Amino acid sequence: DGDAEKAWRSVCVVPAIVAFGSGVMVYFISDDAPKGNYKELQAHGQMAEVSAAASFRSGACNFNTWLLFIQYACCFGVELTMNNAAALYFKDEFGQTTESAA
């Protein structure tokens, strides 16, 4: 019983190590953009500096941003509804406790 309880935890370790290693590798090896790193582009005058507020304003005023926001809000609402409905179904049909059904 103890080994089975620990097994699922140990299965998560290898993907976590691979994901962490991949993240570190991407951080140190990859470029910020297709044309290069931001600091190098700004130093050579190929990219203008933009303040965080101006960047946020540009994104907040973009129509596509609001469409994606609405789509995500609807999607998340459906996810919450389905999670609750599934928990009630498992509780009623299989006699599970509320904790195990959720």
Side-chain angles (χ1 to χ4, degrees):
D1 185 42
D3 291 338
E5 184 65 28
K6 294 176 187 174
W8 71 270
R9 291 184 181 124
S10 63
V11 168
C12 296
V13 171
V14 173
I17 291 171
V18 170
F20 181 78
S22 297
V24 170
M25 183 178 69
V26 166
Y27 181 77
F28 286 109
I29 294 176
S30 69
D31 292 333
D32 295 334
K35 293 183 179 180
N37 291 324
Y38 291 142
K39 287 186 180 184
E40 294 171 6
L41 291 172
Q42 289 173 348
H44 292 96
Q46 296 175 334
M47 180 178 144
E49 285 194 40
V50 180
S51 70
S55 180
F56 178 79
R57 191 179 319 107
S58 173
C61 293
N62 189 336
F63 182 70
N64 293 330
T65 302
W66 290 103
L67 283 177
L68 288 172
F69 174 78
I70 291 167
Q71 288 176 340
Y72 180 75
C74 293
C75 169
F76 188 63
V78 170
E79 180 181 352
L80 291 176
T81 302
M82 289 306 298
N83 286 341
N84 288 331
L88 292 174
Y89 173 78
F90 291 139
K91 183 179 181 222
D92 293 340
E93 292 295 319
F94 301 108
Q96 294 182 333
T97 64
T98 305
E99 293 82 18
S100 65

